[in-house]
Amino acid sequence: MKFSKTIAKALTLSAVAAPALFAATAFQNQVGFLTNGQKQMAVIDAAGKDVVFKDAEGNTVLTVTAPETIPWEPAGDTAASLVDFTELKTAGTYQAFVGDDSIGHPINIADNALEDVTKGALKFFYFQRSSTELTEEFAGKYARAAGHPDTAVKYHASTGITDTAATFNGSKGWYDAGDYGKYVVNSGITVYTLLQLYQQNKEYFKDLNLNIPESENEIPDILDEIKWNLDWMLTMQDTDGGVFHKLTTLKFAGTVMPEKATAQRYAIGKAQEATWYFAAVMALASEIYQPYDEEFSKKCIEAAEAAYRWGVANELTYYEQPSGVTTGSYTGAAEWPARLWSLIEMYRVSGEKHLLEASKKWAITLKMKGVQNWQNTYMLGLYTIATNPDLFEKDMVDSAKTVIFSMADDYVKSMDKSGYGLPLIRSDFYWGSNGIAANKGMVLIHAYILSQEEKYLNAATSILDYILGRNPLDVSYLTGFGVNPTMNPHHRPSQADTVVAPVPGMVAGGPNASATDCAKKYTNENAVAKSYYDNSCSYATNEVAINWNAPFAYLVGSIQAIAATGKTYDVTEKPLARYEIASIPFASSNLRRAQFQEGQRLVVRGQAVQVELKDRNGVKRYFNLKGKQVR
Ligand code: 9MR
């Protein structure tokens, strides 16, 4: 075992991998396989040879002849044989061998092999809590003082609030990533993903103990944890319903513990992107928390409705990063997919037909298909439609399913071209590639829920295996899990504390062929999946973030929950809450079409002459001469 690890390290470190010099080696999930689940490893230099699986006593339990190697473009020239040992269905610890050489890492098989990973991926959110001390009881050696009380947050001029002395209480919430900012857009997709994980697997998550301060109450721990962030998001809503874009300092803090990062924090920007994301998430939350906290549930739906109204009245307010602010921008999130998503969520909990009608402005077509991320939430609305066939009209449900299956089938098809057996392609390897991989897993899990076809669950399991070690670097990208985990993530508390190992349960961003930071020397156009640097200086390949952990938690949590309960989400389940949402205006904006009038400024931008106007917050907007807004 030691031997194979040394080989893997050598492969990782050498610029030119030369596997022919070595005995066979294998890349595999380093954490665990479900007893009845798919089990595969990617083996290098073993085509035609026998891969022998031995149990802890050294008895041979299975022999598989390694098939021919197939290259996997993102891994460059290290072609692999995909060795399938799914047949091994007895819990225990095993080791694979080729001849006398052990290959890969210990293989752990158990019914609950993915439970600790599920808990770890969710516990990450507790470690990211702002405004509270993490005590030893819940954080162990990662205990730390409270950071960022955020009880006196100022309003940046970009919020439209001009009283420079005014403050509000914006406490709680999760730090976004390796930095200490709190951003509504990114929180939006994160919270939705986690709420869906719970919604679709209630039985499993009802009693799953995350060992957090609220573990003793009656509410499932996963919901307690999510509420920590919802409570903060609610503070970001202005009195007129609009939602501030983010709560950060003006510049990123240095590499210090949270309590040492004491610069003034501001609410910055107020625009439609954050507002739509907020409306969608609050609508879903109103339903999920209804059985546990009626008052909170009501507060959520009212907040959603107020946000939606503001969004309609302020259609053209896009967030732009103000000068002097250099924290994460999260600009450019697609507007109408977010609006469609919020209408769908509000319709789901209200059954109000006018919301359904309004959502039809945007046809559901394959044209927009593409994996969800913080910039585009089109798929989130589609998941809700497809998994609620009794609530939405049949043609909408059919269209949503067509999009989901089309994507899932593309992924499954792409696996044929991969000796690693992975539905990941060259173009997936940009900033946050592990988040992209996990989000593809979320598409596949939905395809499985909707069809019960094994191939989708298996493809999702392959993505999980990739993140946990079935990759050409032999790395488990989940801190604290696996033989060879990420050790130096870009994560301020992990860098600034005195503990050697990073906070556990964090998914590193992963290989990014376009990284321009200190990982640049490792970027490799010919082997994009190796463009990774396990060094905290690399925010572009090794930062952690809530929007990557959430789809990972969704992926691993769904796979474990489906195995543990033996069932998938019942799509005939009705929402528990029913709220009235009064008729809402649909289109309004004063700046919807800006006809050029005398006195307005014409400017040359790029190659084009454009009309420049200021919106009500004094932010400049640009329109072409036909009156259509351009960005
Ligand atoms: O995830 C974001 C990625 O899509 C962008 O390309 C990148 C650069 O703008 O920013 C990433 O988000 C970061 C955010 O701006 C601030 N907190 C850390 C996030 C993860 O790196």
Side-chain angles (χ1 to χ4, degrees), residues 587-604:
S588 69
S589 180
N590 47 350
L591 285 184
R592 193 166 176 70
R593 286 184 71 81
Q595 295 304 335
F596 178 66
Q597 288 161 18
E598 226 182 294
Q600 285 170 349
R601 226 165 92 85
L602 281 178
V603 292
V604 180

Side-chain angles (χ1 to χ4, degrees), residues 86 122 142 223 230 263 273 366 376 466 581 595:
T86 303
L122 290 170
Y142 300 98
L223 293 187
L230 286 168
E273 299 94 324
L366 285 170
N376 197 322
Y466 165 80
I581 293 182
Q595 295 304 335

Side-chain angles (χ1 to χ4, degrees), residues 176-179 183 252 327-330 374-375 431 539 543-545 547-548:
D176 185 57
D179 67 314
Y183 307 83
F252 285 125
T327 48
S329 73
Y330 287 113
W374 68 259
Q375 290 104 323
W431 198 310
Y539 41 86
E543 185 159 2
V544 305
N547 63 316
W548 306 329

Side-chain angles (χ1 to χ4, degrees), residues 272-440:
Q272 61 177 9
E273 299 94 324
T275 304
W276 299 135
Y277 279 55
F278 175 99
V281 159
M282 290 303 162
L284 180 60
S286 73
E287 197 248 304
I288 289 181
Y289 288 86
Q290 202 271 347
Y292 297 104
D293 188 341
E294 184 109 37
E295 203 183 313
F296 180 70
S297 158
K298 230 172 137 242
K299 193 170 162 185
C300 289
I301 195 66
E302 283 166 9
E305 189 178 341
Y308 190 85
R309 285 175 185 280
W310 187 91
V312 171
N314 294 273
E315 265 182 330
L316 295 175
T317 54
Y318 298 109
Y319 177 73
E320 277 166 31
Q321 181 92 311
S323 68
V325 176
T326 52
T327 48
S329 73
Y330 287 113
T331 41
E335 187 262 325
W336 71 259
R339 185 168 171 191
L340 173 66
W341 171 39
S342 61
L343 278 168
I344 287 165
E345 299 303 338
M346 291 197 303
Y347 168 66
R348 187 173 168 277
V349 292
S350 68
E352 303 277 7
K353 288 283 181 229
H354 61 92
L355 297 169
L356 184 69
E357 290 310 313
S359 78
K360 289 183 186 165
K361 177 176 176 199
W362 301 282
I364 297 165
T365 68
L366 285 170
K367 227 164 69 193
M368 276 300 293
K369 78 174 180 183
V371 68
Q372 67 278 351
N373 54 29
W374 68 259
Q375 290 104 323
N376 197 322
T377 54
Y378 181 64
M379 291 308 294
L380 307 188
L382 268 55
Y383 294 145
T384 295
I385 296 173
T387 53
N388 289 278
D390 295 346
L391 293 177
F392 290 88
E393 292 173 4
K394 186 171 179 314
D395 59 339
M396 290 178 87
V397 175
D398 289 346
S399 305
K401 283 164 85 170
T402 301
V403 176
I404 293 168
F405 285 121
S406 163
M407 289 171 62
D409 288 336
D410 284 350
Y411 301 162
V412 170
K413 213 161 127 213
S414 71
M415 294 167 76
D416 299 342
K417 298 192 192 110
S418 160
Y420 282 69
L422 300 169
L424 302 172
I425 56 174
R426 190 185 163 83
S427 57
D428 291 333
F429 291 87
Y430 54 93
W431 198 310
S433 61
N434 284 329
I436 294 149
N439 272 307
K440 281 185 150 186

